[in-house]
Amino acid sequence: MIETNSSLKAFNTFSIDARTKTLFHFKDLKQLPELLALLKTVRAEKRPVLILGAGSNILFCEDFSGLVIKVELSGVEIIESQDNYLLQVAAGENWHQLVTDCIEKGIDGLENLALIPGVVGAAPVQNIGAYGTEFKDFCQAVEYVDLNTGEFFNLNAPQCLFAYRDSIFKSKGMQNALITKVTLKLPKKRQTHSRYGLLQKLDAAEKVTAKQIYHSVCQIRSEKLPDPDLLGNAGSFFKNPVVNKQQADDLLDLYPDMPNYPQADGNIKLAAGWLIEQANLKGKKLGGAAVHQQQALVLINQKNATAADIIQLAELVRATVEDKFNVSLEHEVRFIDSKGETNLKQVIKHVRA
Ligand code: FAD
Ligand code: EPU
């Protein structure tokens, strides 16, 4: 189904009222020839293309001049073998619903990733992660269609180049890759993973079940993270920064209580939320946007915020943390302007001009 000059307000969790010139609801692979024909026209007009899931990791900085393809492909197939469950899931399925359905069916593994908003097709893009596990831990394959040619490809997990909030799907060469399906492998014999931060208190229990972890994760997340249906936000606005050991040691001399997580390569990951809180920015308001009181890493649309409010608040946070700690914060949220993906550095120039 093709719409023109449509509002994207319901399709992004910041609830920014941006519009797109063209919107295509991609519900069924049978629509592919129609989509490829539409893409030909859009490209001939030199207009940009954006692949959209549920818009929970996106900030629309202004109206979009091109074609938004909203991925709504549906279908879940579960293949059981002696040792594993293989789940073949279409890209438009809701991620949290999938996790919930699995837990209800006694298929364990995804419980630490409960309540992450968005659709399944977006999960590989930034390799979603929470409470000690990441998408890559369960990924068997990712299928995508090249929007230039209509050809289908299948990548295995190593080929996806997964890293912290990163994958091959974020690279420039993959901008035309529309993920259509993911295959997850969930071993039947698997240790639950509760040795992480707040989940540790569960370890006191004799045998922690996946269901217990699922409920615990849902409870912790509901207490700390705002529900986008009630308060617009896109989760962590910035990534947790990774610094070298010397810089981490220098900061630890000054701030011995600073959370720090040593990485396999010797570098140290810091907690952006802690840095933002220590910079006295918790609750900081700018226009209709604010730094969330319960979790400083989350920027919220408190009261009819415009994209410009959120952009200026993000820049204030970035610059204040850099001044105080000499640590650069990179945004996790994807910035989209009228022509496609951009970044905070670019848009802030535009907003100030
Ligand atoms: P969108 O925001 O629509 O898109 C995100 C990116 O993926 C865009 O670049 C888009 O072009 C691309 N994309 C989407 N679908 C496809 C496709 N089919 N093919 C190719 N590219 C595609 N993230 C975490 O990792 N961990 C968390 O704990 C977490 N918690 C969150 C909590 C809240 C309250 C919110 C609002 C967000 C949170 N997020 C978290 C971020 C977000 O939920 C994830 O990044 C999620 O995977 C985004 O899914 P989406 O469908 O909304 O993608
Ligand atoms: N902290 C503060 N103040 C704050 C927020 C956090 O001091 O306002 C401290 C906490 O006390 C803790 C540390 O910072 O010591 C880390 O906080 P938390 O465990 O809440 O996790 P996070 O680093 O803020 C990351 C992910 C989340 C994910 C959680 C749980 C990133 C950018 N964010 O947040 O992912 O759900 O861990 O695993 O890696 C997202 O990507 O959108 C997201 C929500």
Side-chain angles (χ1 to χ4, degrees):
M1 190 177 75
I2 303 171
E3 292 175 29
T4 47
N5 195 25
S6 307
S7 170
L8 294 167
K9 191 167 187 214
F11 302 144
N12 72 96
T13 57
F14 263 125
S15 289
I16 296 295
D17 196 7
R19 303 190 87 78
T20 178
K21 202 157 172 196
T22 318
L23 176 65
F24 185 87
H25 293 272
F26 191 20
K27 290 175 184 293
D28 193 313
L29 287 178
K30 287 188 197 129
Q31 292 170 294
L32 191 56
E34 186 191 357
L35 173 58
L36 293 176
L38 177 61
L39 278 161
K40 223 171 170 183
T41 318
V42 168
R43 293 227 164 90
E45 293 166 356
K46 298 210 172 354
R47 292 199 288 130
V49 175
L50 173 72
I51 303 165
L52 184 66
S56 65
N57 210 27
I58 279 198
L59 176 63
F60 285 110
C61 302
E62 54 192 12
D63 290 345
F64 189 67
S65 64
L67 164 67
V68 170
I69 306 170
K70 184 145 186 325
V71 181
E72 297 170 8
L73 301 167
S74 60
V76 181
E77 201 184 330
I78 302 175
I79 303 156
E80 183 174 359
S81 67
Q82 201 179 339
D83 299 326
N84 302 297
Y85 292 101
L86 273 191
L87 312 183
Q88 297 194 324
V89 193
E93 291 288 338
N94 179 277
W95 175 264
H96 175 65
Q97 194 58 52
L98 175 73
V99 176
T100 305
D101 291 348
C102 283
I103 294 299
E104 277 169 7
K105 289 188 170 83
I107 301 175
D108 299 346
L110 300 178
E111 52 280 357
N112 297 53
L113 300 176
L115 223 54
I116 298 182
V119 295
V120 167
V125 177
Q126 74 155 7
N127 178 30
I128 55 168
Y131 301 104
T133 62
E134 289 183 322
F135 177 84
K136 74 167 171 45
D137 302 334
F138 312 98
C139 178
Q140 173 89 351
V142 178
E143 179 194 85
Y144 70 90
V145 57
D146 181 335
L147 293 176
N148 282 326
T149 60
E151 223 181 317
F152 280 82
F153 295 88
N154 222 16
L155 297 186
N156 61 29
Q159 289 171 321
C160 291
L161 305 180
F162 290 123
Y164 168 61
R165 298 294 187 270
D166 202 14
S167 77
I168 194 170
F169 299 104
K170 279 190 166 184
S171 63
K172 281 238 169 337
M174 293 297 269
Q175 272 171 353
N176 288 301
L178 185 150
I179 295 166
T180 45
K181 185 169 78 181
V182 308
T183 304
L184 302 173
K185 184 176 176 182
L186 302 177
K188 287 183 179 173
K189 278 203 190 116
R190 194 181 156 272
Q191 286 254 301
T192 49
H193 200 310
S194 58
R195 297 194 178 281
Y196 181 91
L198 287 165
L199 294 181
Q200 273 175 9
K201 62 180 179 206
L202 278 175
D203 274 343
E206 273 208 341
K207 190 173 176 297
V208 184
T209 65
K211 213 173 214 164
Q212 282 171 316
I213 293 184
Y214 169 88
H215 287 300
S216 215
V217 167
C218 289
Q219 193 192 331
I220 292 166
R221 292 183 67 100
S222 312
E223 282 163 11
K224 294 209 297 188
L225 293 163
D227 177 350
D229 287 342
L230 307 174
L231 203 53
N233 77 95
S236 298
F237 198 89
F238 297 96
K239 290 188 234 179
N240 282 331
V242 178
V243 299
N244 64 38
K245 175 129 185 14
Q246 184 59 56
Q247 192 176 0
D249 285 346
D250 291 348
L251 283 167
L252 281 164
D253 283 345
L254 291 169
Y255 311 100
D257 296 336
M258 179 182 74
N260 63 98
Y261 312 98
Q263 304 294 291
D265 62 4
N267 288 327
I268 313 286
K269 195 189 269 181
L270 307 179
W274 185 90
L275 298 170
I276 297 168
E277 179 169 353
Q278 296 305 310
N280 285 326
L281 289 165
K282 230 177 189 180
K284 175 80 189 165
K285 288 183 191 153
L286 201 156
V291 177
H292 191 47
Q293 274 292 357
Q294 276 71 44
Q295 228 297 4
L297 193 42
V298 178
L299 303 190
I300 54 172
N301 176 352
Q302 196 170 47
K303 207 172 170 220
N304 302 321
T306 61
D309 294 340
I310 297 168
I311 291 163
Q312 290 185 80
L313 182 62
E315 175 56 14
L316 177 76
V317 169
R318 190 205 61 75
T320 311
V321 167
E322 186 155 281
D323 278 357
K324 188 171 165 74
F325 298 103
N326 193 25
V327 171
S328 306
L329 294 183
E330 262 181 56
H331 51 91
E332 173 184 310
V333 171
R334 316 287 295 265
F335 281 50
I336 309 293
D337 71 7
S338 69
K339 297 194 191 72
E341 178 142 29
T342 180
N343 56 48
L344 179 55
K345 215 170 164 187
Q346 289 302 320
V347 287
I348 195 71
K349 280 192 224 154
H350 195 69
V351 166
R352 282 178 178 161

